[in-house]
Each structure stands twice: as structure tokens, then as C-alpha cells.
């Protein structure tokens, strides 16, 4: 139980602490070394986890060591362009989410939100299936808009302005989408009023955790 509490406290500290630290490095140009380190840390950590879990662990860890050596030799360049690393990370996340929803809208595939709805409210009526498809379209457009806004702010506004959007507004906007969808669903599909916002969040989390 204590381990579980500590794990969630650690996750909460990371979710709150990393954006604050990232914004600090974007807003203040006094420590480019810290900016480069914070920007590259998630990439190296993810690469380390993937390499460790790989069936070719030794080979992948060796490749990671070589990549880190290349980063070391190019560190001065990274210090001058660490903001670009932040933007590329953000864009990668938004484009992955965009593609996750968009690819299920192709003819012959089941829209992603239909899968979520079936997980908590099966069987679905034709009206509910149509609504779930529209919600999938809405999330697809949402992540496309987030990527577009991020790009415009990064290249047309000061880095600190982009940083506020990416580090402090992204999660509230996602939460606002969940809330807006919940109230629209209660209005369009009154028979699902017993469903809660957390049901949709759990369905998305379970889908993300499911082995591919």
C-alpha cells in the first residue's frame, strides 16, 4: 500500500515538476546547459526503457551508449537549440495521438471511441455508434489543432509564450474536452446519463495499456 502511494506521489511530482522546470528553462536563457539536459532527459529515459525491454538488450543498450556519446559531442549545439527539442517532443506526442484516433476512421475500421463506448456501455445502439464516431472525429481534430497551435506559437511567438501553452495549458484543455464531451453526451444520448467522465478516462487508459 505504501509503495502504491509513493508511486502515485512520484508520478504526481513528475507531472507537475517537469513542466515547471521545462518552462523555467524556456523562460530563462541563463542556463542553456540545464535547458538541454531537461529537454533531452525524457528521450534518453524512454530509449533506455525500450532498450532494456528489448529482446536484443545488449545491442540496443550499445546503440544508446553511442547515441549518448554523439549527444555529448554535439552538446554545444543542443544548448543553443534545446527549445526545438521541446517542440519536437510535443509535436511527436500530439501527432501520435492524432494518428491513434485518425487511423480508426478509415473505412472498414471501428472508430476508437466506439471501442471505448463498448467497453463501458455495450451493446451500443446505432445512434450511440454514430455519436461515438463523431467523438472520434472531434478528438482527431482536437489533437490536430493542438499540433497546429503549438507550431504557430513556437515559430511566431516568444518561446516563453509557447512554453506556457505546452506545459500548462495542454492538460487543462484535454480535461476540458472530456468535460465538454460528457455534457454533450448527456444531451444527445440521455440513456447514458449514468456514465461518468472517469469511465471514458479509464477506457482510454485501458486501451493504451493493452498489449498490441
Amino acid at each position: 500500500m505504501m509503495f502504491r502511494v509513493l508511486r502515485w506521489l512520484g508520478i504526481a511530482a513528475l507531472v507537475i515538476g517537469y513542466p515547471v522546470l521545462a518552462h523555467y528553462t524556456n523562460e530563462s536563457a541563463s542556463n542553456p546547459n540545464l535547458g538541454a539536459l531537461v529537454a533531452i532527459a525524457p528521450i534518453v529515459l524512454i530509449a533506455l526503457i525500450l532498450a532494456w525491454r528489448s529482446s536484443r538488450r545488449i545491442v540496443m543498450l550499445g546503440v544508446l551508449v553511442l547515441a549518448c556519446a554523439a549527444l555529448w559531442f554535439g552538446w554545444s549545439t543542443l544548448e543553443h537549440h534545446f527549445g526545438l527539442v521541446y517542440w519536437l517532443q510535443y509535436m511527436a506526442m500530439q501527432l501520435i495521438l492524432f494518428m491513434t484516433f485518425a487511423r480508426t476512421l478509415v473505412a472498414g475500421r471501428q472508430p476508437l471511441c466506439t471501442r471505448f463506448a463498448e467497453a463501458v456501455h455495450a451493446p451500443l445502439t446505432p445512434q450511440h455508434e454514430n455519436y461515438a464516431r463523431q467523438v472520434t472525429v472531434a478528438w482527431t481534430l482536437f489533437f490536430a489543432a493542438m499540433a497546429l497551435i503549438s507550431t504557430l506559437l513556437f515559430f511566431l511567438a516568444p518561446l516563453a509564450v509557447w512554453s506556457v501553452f505546452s506545459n500548462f495549458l495542454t492538460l487543462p484543455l484535454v480535461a476540458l474536452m472530456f468535460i465538454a464531451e460528457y455534457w454533450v453526451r448527456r444531451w444527445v444520448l440521455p440513456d447514458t446519463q449514468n456514465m461518468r467522465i472517469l469511465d471514458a478516462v479509464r477506457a482510454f487508459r485501458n486501451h493504451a495499456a493493452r498489449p498490441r
Side-chain angles (χ1 to χ4, degrees), residues 13 95 138:
L95 290 177

Side-chain angles (χ1 to χ4, degrees), residues 30-201:
S30 60
N31 197 339
N33 184 58
L34 178 63
L37 183 62
V38 175
I40 208 68
I43 299 174
V44 175
L45 179 60
I46 292 172
L48 177 60
I49 293 172
L50 293 176
W52 187 259
R53 293 181 175 179
S54 172
S55 58
R56 299 181 177 180
R57 181 182 298 173
I58 301 301
V59 174
M60 298 306 296
L61 288 175
V63 171
L64 180 58
V65 170
L66 292 177
C68 289
L71 284 174
W72 175 260
F73 285 110
W75 194 256
S76 59
T77 301
L78 188 61
E79 286 182 328
H80 289 90
H81 301 285
F82 66 84
L84 185 62
V85 178
Y86 281 126
W87 174 71
L88 289 173
Q89 287 182 34
Y90 186 88
M91 285 297 294
M93 178 182 66
Q94 298 303 319
L95 290 177
I96 288 172
L97 290 169
F98 167 78
M99 289 302 301
T100 298
F101 284 86
R103 67 188 179 88
T104 65
L105 293 171
V106 177
R109 294 191 176 185
Q110 184 183 45
L112 189 55
C113 290
T114 303
R115 299 181 205 170
F116 298 160
E118 286 183 341
V120 295
H121 197 71
L124 302 182
T125 65
Q127 183 185 13
H128 199 162
E129 288 186 357
N130 182 58
Y131 172 79
R133 180 179 181 82
Q134 292 174 345
V135 173
T136 305
V137 172
W139 277 107
T140 301
L141 295 176
F142 173 80
F143 291 118
M146 294 292 283
L148 177 60
I149 293 171
S150 172
T151 301
L152 292 175
L153 288 177
F154 184 82
F155 288 102
L156 300 179
L159 184 59
V161 174
W162 173 84
S163 183
V164 169
F165 171 79
S166 63
N167 289 306
F168 302 130
L169 295 183
T170 298
L171 288 181
L173 287 172
V174 170
L176 187 61
M177 268 291 286
F178 273 108
I179 294 170
E181 189 278 322
Y182 172 74
W183 286 107
V184 170
R185 184 180 354 119
R186 284 175 61 92
W187 177 57
V188 175
L189 301 171
D191 60 313
T192 62
Q193 290 192 9
N194 60 327
M195 293 175 61
R196 300 168 297 176
I197 296 176
L198 285 179
D199 292 333
V201 176

Side-chain angles (χ1 to χ4, degrees), residues 1-14 205:
M1 181 66 180
M2 181 60 68
F3 174 77
R4 202 171 183 182
V5 172
L6 290 175
R7 184 184 67 177
W8 281 109
L9 286 175
I11 292 174
L14 183 63
R205 184 187 63 188

